[in-house]
Amino acid sequence: MGWDGLLPVQRTPPLHGQMTANEALDRLLAGTGLVARKTGPHTYRIRRFSTPRAARAPTLQVHVSKRVEPVPSATGTEIVVTGQKRLQNLARVPMSISVVDLDDIRFFNAAADTRLIARSVDGLALTNLGPGQNRQFIRGVADSPFDGPSQSTVAVQLDNTRLTFDAPDPDLRLVDVDQVEVLKGPQGPLYGSGALGGIYHIVTHKPDLATVSGHMRMTGQAVQHGQITAGGDAVINLPLVNDTLALRAVGYVDHRAGWIDNIGRTADANSAATFGGRLALRWQPDSAWSIDISGILQNVDVADSQYVNTSHESIKREGRIPEPSDSDFKAMAATVQRRMGSVNLLATTSYVTQKISYKLDSSNASPLFGLSGPSRFTDDNRYSLWNTEIRVSPSGNGRWITGLSYMEANTRSHAAIATLADSVVAESMNRKVTEIAVFGEFEIPLSRQFSLTGGARLFQTKEENEAAETIARTTEKIRKTGFSPSASLAWHPTDRNLLYLRYARALRPGGLAPGANDTARRFESDELGTFDLGYRHENRSKTLQLAASAFITTWNDIQSDYLLPNGLVSTRNAGQGRIHGVELSATWQPVEGLKLGGGITYLDAMLVKTQGGAKLDDRRLPVVPKLSGRFEAQYRFTMGTWRALIAGQASYTGHARLSFDENLDRSMGGYAILTTSAALSRDHLTLGLNIDNALNVRGDSFAFGNPFSIMSGRQYTPVQPRTMTLSITRAW
């Protein structure tokens, strides 16, 4: 029996009766976050389940989905999540969490991204301005379709690094990623400011201290009515000092084909090029210490926007001026862990920068800025985020955690409008938010079947905000001391059933935003609370998993980005909202090799009162569909010496509204997408095929593209046409 890394302190239950070694180890390690891997006829090595597997070509013997909560592997391995900042067995977490296994997606689509994840996670919705410009929403907690000064309602997390505060989702390519965890509902106690809707947590593969491994992959992609492009990625894991020091490197290039024709200018105009990489260094000088240092960068260049102004059936737009965008992302992080007796001490610090620049045709708004003729709007945004935390938790289980944190977020933006003859500064913003907090969460066993978990965060935020517009400058400082609690009651009648009731609250601090009439205006803090009643079940043979959740959310003083008459984006408090919702999901393995799964989400998300207190009858919160669903099927089999897999997914996006503003209350959605996939694997070689939107469905995925012309007519963002992706992977 062997162990990699820090030696754990873990109690296990006594065993009685006759059983195989595999069965005995499974029972001993159940609920511990550990798993035993057989390394020889009579030898096993115990690992943490979250310890990443070495880079390899995807093997079709691995299970294909953890999209429904909980879904074990084909061998019955328990799902371990780290989104609550410590190792936890998903089966015992009294919270709604969806987990997507990225090893599955690697079979078919090397360019996995946030949009691909959203199709597999019930309740996760996105805007669709383009790569690097989208906003995420979870369970209807959606404030606006526009990218403005307000803080995001979903915090994007990479391992121990928080990536976003008020920036859009960087849309990192999910290469060499173990899994994505989506924590649903307010996460104020552990994540602080923001996180009203939840957490999007990316868990990467970590350096393997013992094995040299890696892979290289080449891909080709063809879009109907569009281009043919190519890309690739590579991963290498190198132990520098065996069992002590290792390096892991990831690199990728992805060229996305364009399919929108800019009439009179460029065919297939909205092509995109993405390149990036990640380096990770792990040092374990002894069994008690672990040090991780990592860095990541990604650049996304999009040649033109992807909306049209005729109908969602069209892929042509008459554009006078190209509308390119550029998103550059960088992050550095260091984490030190030390086991001291029965507890682990973790200290982590990270620094993130994100630069987003884009250009828009602003000709329709030229007279509003004292200009005449065609004009171009240029917006440059610079985001930085520094986050430091010190946390203590038990080394043997995840029943409690406590810690201190410091966060500093800086945002700078500068926008100008120019014609061939003249230019003006449209607006300039400089915002700094700091937060100091103490937080904790504790599980208290009430009996063998009942437990109570409570969490809280005591924090103080300070915002320094300066807004300079065309003729005015305003500066303001805002301080706020707050308390974000959570509490959940869990009932475990058996180790395969969990019923829980959870309440949690989170808030966003107020700030200063551009307003009408060339003045800056203040928007107040908003606060959101959710009651979540959930149930999870797994049968004894682990071939059937069920999950259900019903939730009620109240949202006061909603911060919402909105369009000014001149096309700029500002922020205001829109009023009071309420969200009622239900989620159902299931996975079933009726016979060996066949797996069926699906989920459905119903959301009634409404703005019920204006900020002035006026009651509203029907004003739906933006972007999120009222009804959405998915169905998935996959079958694994052998063909001679080859292992094969075929799979399909049908996803439905129901009708949604662009905005609760009366002038922009436009419909979108209401379409279904079919994706089919196949893979063949033998030895170190894997061949993959993916056909996205196989039926070439036309639909409006987002009813917005340009803020300067949307008031004069409807805009549509067509669903990407049928797209075929081929990949070949060689591992060692």
Side-chain angles (χ1 to χ4, degrees), residues 159-195:
D159 295 324
N160 288 305
T161 302
R162 182 167 179 170
L163 303 185
T164 61
F165 181 77
D166 53 357
D169 172 25
D171 197 17
L172 296 179
R173 292 299 184 267
L174 303 175
V175 179
D176 197 41
V177 168
D178 184 23
Q179 63 188 31
V180 173
E181 304 165 2
V182 179
L183 283 64
K184 302 175 183 180
Q187 305 297 324
L190 292 185
Y191 286 92
S193 181

Side-chain angles (χ1 to χ4, degrees), residues 362-363 365-376 417-419 421-424:
S362 56
S363 302
S366 293
L368 300 176
F369 292 90
L371 303 172
S372 61
S375 64
R376 170 180 284 186
I417 293 182
T419 65
D422 200 4
S423 66
V424 297

Side-chain angles (χ1 to χ4, degrees), residues 89 178 344 444 461 468 476 616:
N89 177 4
D178 184 23
N344 283 337
I444 303 172
T461 62
E476 187 169 349
L616 302 172

Side-chain angles (χ1 to χ4, degrees), residues 127 133-138 141-144 146-156 162-170 191-200 354 356 383 385 409 411 431 506-509 523 526 528 555 559 561 571:
T127 61
Q133 299 184 69
N134 297 323
R135 305 183 73 184
Q136 296 187 30
F137 304 117
I138 297 176
V141 183
D143 50 3
S144 171
F146 311 117
D147 291 336
S150 67
Q151 185 183 350
S152 306
T153 63
V154 176
V156 180
R162 182 167 179 170
L163 303 185
T164 61
F165 181 77
D166 53 357
D169 172 25
Y191 286 92
S193 181
L196 273 68
I199 302 296
Y200 180 86
Q354 190 172 352
I356 300 176
Y383 306 92
L385 182 62
T411 304
R431 182 188 192 195
L507 62 79
R508 295 184 291 182
F523 56 93
D526 60 350
L528 180 146
W555 193 358
Q559 294 178 14
D561 295 330
T571 303

Side-chain angles (χ1 to χ4, degrees), residues 431-444:
R431 182 188 192 195
K432 177 181 177 181
V433 178
T434 59
E435 180 192 86
I436 301 174
V438 56
F439 62 88
E441 188 171 82
F442 300 85
E443 179 185 347
I444 303 172

